[in-house]
């Protein structure tokens, strides 16, 4: 008899492989260099949180917290300098946005120009649902008519 | 009658989306709209590069139409536009100011300018991206067009070639000069 793994064992093997692959992925925390870290842990935590919201304008699909790009590093340092100087989180973010525009925000703000981004997906799902409902209703009616 | 062609609707929608995406792909994702157009040049003050007496700061730009060019000795595209910037200087077309961005060491920038020529009226050393971030720079070269009042009016991404200059950039300088 051929030795085949039982389905349950197969799933366990698959999960183990996936977990292994996940472990191989880049650790996003590694972009921050030791010398950048602030002495005050509260400041550092705020800097990390802000950095995760800001897009690296060179690599574009990473936050500056993830990115090894030099400009991302300089932006991280700038964020930390402003925190140490006493800026609030909003003030730090507003400063970077004033230089680079809303594009640097990984979560774009809800406003006129970005409304399509926020409403668009919901609208498309709603349209699809309505189309499905009307289709099944009609199909049901036709089946009823045919059965009569 | 109209129902008979309803099956074409998805096709038309897909085609429209495809055309939209096709045009989207023609755009350069690195060329970001500057958030600083029609805003005053942000406060900045950069130290002099080695061998030079003066640095470069915001107030140097007031009172005339000028260009601010972000460059670095590591930047290949900057080499491409460099001869044209030298020409602008030789002909006294418009003053160009330089931000020497993120040099690997203190000598690299000055050596580059010694070797190929210095097209800039003033150069600021920017090892920590202070100037680059003030201008919202994402790469080099980038060139900002600043009017008499110190307001940023235009940003050019990438090297300045003779073609772009004559077609697009020189008319901008002339327009800014015509303003009172």
């Amino acid at each position: 008899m051929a030795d085949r793994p039982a389905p349950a064992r197969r799933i366990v093997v698959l999960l183990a492989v996936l977990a292994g692959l996940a472990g191989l992925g880049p650790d996003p925390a590694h972009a921050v260099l030791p010398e950048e870290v602030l002495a005050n842990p509260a400041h550092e935590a705020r800097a990390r949180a802000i950095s995760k919201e800001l897009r690296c304008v060179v690599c574009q699909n990473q936050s500056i917290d993830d990115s090894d790009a030099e400009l991302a590093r300089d932006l991280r340092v700038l964020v930390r300098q402003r925190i140490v100087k006493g800026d609030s989180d909003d003030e730090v973010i507003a400063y970077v946005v004033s230089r680079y525009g809303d594009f640097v925000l990984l979560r774009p703000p809800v406003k006129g120009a970005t409304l399509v981004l926020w409403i668009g997906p919901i609208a498309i799902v709603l349209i699809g649902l309505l189309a499905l409902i009307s289709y099944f209703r009609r199909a049901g009616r036709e089946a009823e008519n045919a059965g009569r | 009658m109209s129902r008979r062609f309803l099956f074409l609707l998805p096709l038309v929608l897909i085609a429209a989306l495809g055309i939209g995406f096709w045009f989207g792909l023609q755009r350069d994702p690195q060329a970001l709209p500057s958030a600083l157009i029609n805003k005053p040049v942000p406060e900045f003050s950069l130290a002099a590069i080695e061998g030079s007496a003066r640095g470069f700061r915001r107030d140097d730009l007031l009172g005339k139409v000028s260009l601010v060019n972000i460059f670095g000795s590591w930047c290949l595209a900057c080499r491409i536009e460099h001869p044209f910037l030298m020409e602008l200087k030789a002909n006294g077309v418009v003053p160009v100011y330089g931000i020497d961005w993120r040099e690997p060491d203190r000598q690299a920038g000055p050596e580059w300018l010694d070797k190929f020529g210095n097209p800039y009226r003033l150069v600021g050393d920017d090892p920590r991206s202070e100037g680059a971030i003030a201008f919202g720079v994402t790469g080099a070269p980038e060139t900002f067009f600043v009017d008499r009042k110190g307001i940023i009016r235009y940003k050019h991404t990438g090297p300045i070639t003779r073609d772009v200059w004559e077609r697009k950039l020189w008319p901008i300088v002339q327009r800014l000069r015509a303003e009172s």
Side-chain angles (χ1 to χ4, degrees), chain A residues 33-102:
Chain A
L33 300 174
E35 70 262 27
E36 293 174 26
V37 174
L38 296 173
N40 181 332
H43 282 171
E44 179 61 22
R46 282 175 54 206
R48 292 297 302 273
I50 293 172
S51 301
K52 287 196 169 83
E53 297 290 319
L54 296 175
R55 185 195 302 273
C56 162
V57 285
V58 182
C59 15
Q60 302 205 342
N61 287 327
Q62 281 182 305
S63 74
I64 60 169
D65 194 60
D66 292 340
S67 172
D68 291 323
E70 287 164 339
L71 186 56
R73 186 199 131 96
D74 289 343
L75 274 166
R76 284 197 300 270
V77 171
L78 177 117
V79 163
R80 284 168 172 77
Q81 282 170 349
R82 297 198 77 92
I83 286 175
V84 171
K85 263 195 238 158
D87 272 16
S88 73
D89 292 4
D90 288 344
E91 280 167 343
V92 175
I93 289 172
Y95 176 85
V96 181
V97 169
S98 74
R99 300 302 192 264
Y100 286 101
D102 287 336

Side-chain angles (χ1 to χ4, degrees), chain B residues 4 6 24 33 37 47 57 60 65 71 94 106 116 128 131 139 147 152 158 163 170:
Chain B
R4 272 182 64 192
L6 203 60
I37 301 296
R57 55 197 164 84
D60 294 323
V65 176
F71 75 101
V94 63
R106 291 280 293 158
F116 301 114
R128 298 268 75 91
D147 73 9
I152 297 174
D163 179 51
W170 175 232

Side-chain angles (χ1 to χ4, degrees), chain B residues 108-177:
Chain B
E111 272 170 14
W112 193 81
L113 291 173
D114 281 346
K115 193 166 158 197
F116 301 114
N118 185 347
Y120 304 109
R121 186 169 283 195
L122 291 171
V123 178
D125 192 16
D126 196 18
R128 298 268 75 91
S129 302
E130 183 207 324
I133 292 170
F135 279 91
V137 165
T138 59
E142 275 184 21
T143 308
F144 292 83
F145 290 64
V146 181
D147 73 9
R148 266 185 256 274
K149 293 174 188 135
I151 292 167
I152 297 174
R153 300 293 293 275
Y154 188 76
K155 171 179 115 165
H156 177 73
T157 306
I160 295 177
T161 59
R162 186 179 311 280
D163 179 51
V164 175
W165 179 262
E166 279 166 4
R167 232 167 1 93
K168 212 161 152 196
L169 304 177
W170 175 232
I172 291 171
V173 173
Q174 282 176 312
R175 204 183 70 222
L176 296 183
R177 284 211 174 125

